[in-house]
Amino acid sequence: MPSTLERLDCSRCDATFDAGRLNTLCADCGSVLLARYDLERAARTLTPSALAGRRTDQWRYEEVLPGSHDPLGLGEGMTPLHEAGALGRALGLERLFVKDESLNPTGSFKARGMAAAVTMARQLGVRRLALPSAGNAGGAAAAYGALAGMQVDLFLPQETPAPFRFEAVVYGARVHLAPGDIADCGALVREGTEREGWFDLSTLKEPYRLEGKKTMGYELAEQLDWTLPDVVVYPTGGGTGLIGMWKAFAELERMGLLRDARRPRMVSVQADGCAPIVRAFERGEDTAERWKDPWTYASGLRVPAAVGDHLILDALRESDGIAIAVSDERMAEGQLDMARCEGIFGAPEGGATVAAARALTERGWIRPGERVVLFNTGSGLKYPDIPGLDVP
Amino acid sequence: MPSTLERLDCSRCDATFDAGRLNTLCADCGSVLLARYDLERAARTLTPSALAGRRTDQWRYEEVLPGSHDPLGLGEGMTPLHEAGALGRALGLERLFVKDESLNPTGSFKARGMAAAVTMARQLGVRRLALPSAGNAGGAAAAYGALAGMQVDLFLPQETPAPFRFEAVVYGARVHLAPGDIADCGALVREGTEREGWFDLSTLKEPYRLEGKKTMGYELAEQLDWTLPDVVVYPTGGGTGLIGMWKAFAELERMGLLRDARRPRMVSVQADGCAPIVRAFERGEDTAERWKDPWTYASGLRVPAAVGDHLILDALRESDGIAIAVSDERMAEGQLDMARCEGIFGAPEGGATVAAARALTERGWIRPGERVVLFNTGSGLKYPDIPGLDVP
């Protein structure tokens, strides 16, 4: 079935844009653009029974994805939704699940977004990509860029762990290490874009990474037999995954695919050392001020300012959700708990969701019988150690 | 549908064993045991149309797997069979595929075997596991052991790269580093088995790891619409994957699942620095003498003696296949070729298959129009570097 992509709408003003052209942010107000589909037409063919016989990657939802007639695929998506009985008992939760995104190509959920974004960039004639990254997005961009035969320039903070730099070079990307954090790297990309003829793949400055990532929401619904959980616990750096799932839930409801349209309460997890969304949420603000001197060993959470901050905060509030920060120490404990109870070696960001679920259960915000999904966004293997753990 | 497992047959003598008990090697002659199923019964329900609606992991082939009524699952199997157009052009091959096993849990094909073996060990009352490993099997055993709530003791060669040791400790396994190679580690496991009450999970000394790994063969057939490729290029350490696929092809034929029963020529790839199977194949021997002072940076190929040597050699000869050794330098080139052409960061063992396919195409053993499948058995991320590659 063909994609039903119609146009791109600005998330803030009334401007609308042609999806057949290369777009970045809204040309009128500089805000994030959102892909819009003909959901009525999509609903005619995107049905539970049609899905049973389809390909087993994210492109099974082809009606509501861009470029799906000729996607770049490495096996992204359809990751396991793992019933986490032992970890649930450890946290006092009876119906706990882990969505294990480490089984994506390049070992993280970033593959979903890059598969969609690079597919569209190729269709629209792009030859050179550039982006700032905390690590996993860079690896994914390097892989899909290689598959598409494009040149990829990555800007990574100097402290980025070695495995991220290693994989990027293996894929043939040009790696630039820069002082400062991912926002500083973003400035370097902006600076070079015109001079070098790069297309800037920064998340949400490019409209289709969001579309790839939203498939996490489609899969949740399909894997839970067209219902949604009570609580989704998501580690939040740039926040595109959370925004994407929230968009997916609305699309699913519009298409009549949900047997029960109650939406989950969304939980945004950040690190004590970099918690701009938590601070803004607690202060009741609509956007998040940039965090100074961000630090956490979860490099994917070392994001001091998110382009989509208002969209994250909107989703948290609309869903009756919450934002919570956890310490690196509790995150490390969470990583070990997930590995030793469930056999899943998650990223520190995955460990953060365990710590958050524990804290929210202790304070009664999550109730023991609720269906709770933790997102392990990537593989723990790309981080060279876990604070406090000795390895022979 | 239930498993149709009937019994275990010795691969050499006429002895047969009860699958309801804990078995290792043949109690009569010490050879490898092979699981036998009621394939007539299995064929009634294991059909292409039934498979379309089933779970998307290896347990979809439940009729021909042990313990499949209650499997330990982390999402193993159903890895992508990637059409490798650019890599094919680089090698002069028109129909090249890469079966990308790096997308398994714990980042390698070893997850398949361990899922099956630990599932059965749990059903048969085992509480403590031990095994020697070159790295990936250890990580997989640690993960499934954690999921099953078992204690796992791993014996790894001292030179095992850090990421393998790291993941094993994260999963809570007890890691013992030993001088020498994996065969020396195997001796330490044998020594401790009685004293410590371990169940020895060494490949082929335990009959079900083979059963998990054979699902690679089932998937190949299903992904190629119930035909088999002309050539399968497989990196061979212990060789269980190759033996398992060869067994799968026979089972598929017996069940009438193949539209065309022609079997592939099997290629066993080893490293110049550790090539016992290549040497035995070229000498026309039935078993392989232990290789002295094995060395290659592909730690999974640093296996000087394989328990299933005769089964590997049998499969190569029955299939009109071949065994070939490649240098570490060519292997490293192969890793980069796979990553830069296809966006797949494979293990050195995966790189070895690229080098082997290149050599065999150059000498005319593989013809340009043949359907060739390279097995990338694991993720390149677990190896700390690629010889000759500089990383910033």
Side-chain angles (χ1 to χ4, degrees), chain B residues 236-361:
Chain B
T236 307
T240 317
L242 191 147
I243 299 167
M245 280 193 276
W246 196 243
K247 180 172 190 279
F249 300 153
E251 291 174 356
L252 284 161
E253 188 176 353
R254 282 276 307 282
M255 289 187 286
L257 271 164
L258 296 175
R259 292 197 291 116
D260 177 344
R262 268 176 301 182
R263 301 216 189 146
R265 310 200 298 288
M266 305 298 283
V267 178
S268 196
V269 186
Q270 299 198 304
D272 278 349
C274 182
I277 297 295
V278 178
R279 184 173 60 188
F281 180 82
E282 290 177 352
R283 288 185 183 164
E285 292 166 348
D286 293 336
T287 58
E289 198 187 322
R290 179 169 171 161
W291 191 272
K292 275 191 200 127
D293 301 324
W295 181 256
T296 161
Y297 84 105
S299 49
L301 298 181
R302 223 181 293 150
V303 180
V307 179
D309 53 359
H310 63 288
L311 297 172
I312 302 168
L313 290 160
D314 283 355
L316 296 182
R317 291 186 179 122
E318 280 175 36
S319 77
D320 278 323
I322 200 168
I324 180 172
V326 301
S327 70
D328 277 20
E329 202 183 337
R330 293 281 166 275
M331 226 184 268
E333 279 174 21
Q335 267 188 292
L336 293 179
D337 287 342
M338 189 183 284
R340 292 172 182 185
C341 291
E342 302 301 335
I344 296 171
F345 180 10
E349 293 82 356
T353 66
V354 176
R358 178 173 275 134
L360 292 171
T361 305

Side-chain angles (χ1 to χ4, degrees), chain B residues 138-270:
Chain B
Y144 289 94
L147 183 57
M150 294 181 194
Q151 180 192 299
V152 179
D153 281 84
L154 296 181
F155 290 79
L156 308 177
Q158 256 162 6
E159 294 84 4
T160 305
F164 294 109
R165 305 196 306 262
F166 179 35
E167 67 171 344
V169 171
V170 171
Y171 289 124
R174 305 200 302 193
V175 173
H176 312 271
L177 295 177
D181 57 45
I182 189 175
D184 299 308
C185 290
L188 292 174
V189 172
R190 278 194 302 282
E191 232 174 67
T193 293
E194 205 159 317
R195 186 180 69 239
E196 305 284 345
W198 293 331
F199 181 65
D200 184 348
L201 265 188
S202 302
T203 195
L204 295 176
K205 293 189 186 167
E206 182 286 334
Y208 300 115
R209 286 177 64 182
L210 178 69
E211 294 304 296
K213 290 180 186 172
K214 84 176 177 190
T215 57
M216 292 189 289
Y218 278 83
E219 289 176 20
L220 260 195
E222 186 175 0
Q223 290 172 323
L224 293 172
D225 196 20
W226 307 106
T227 66
L228 297 174
D230 297 303
V231 178
V232 167
V233 185
Y234 197 82
T236 307
T240 317
L242 191 147
I243 299 167
M245 280 193 276
W246 196 243
K247 180 172 190 279
F249 300 153
E251 291 174 356
L252 284 161
E253 188 176 353
R254 282 276 307 282
M255 289 187 286
L257 271 164
L258 296 175
R259 292 197 291 116
D260 177 344
R262 268 176 301 182
R263 301 216 189 146
R265 310 200 298 288
M266 305 298 283
V267 178
S268 196
V269 186
Q270 299 198 304

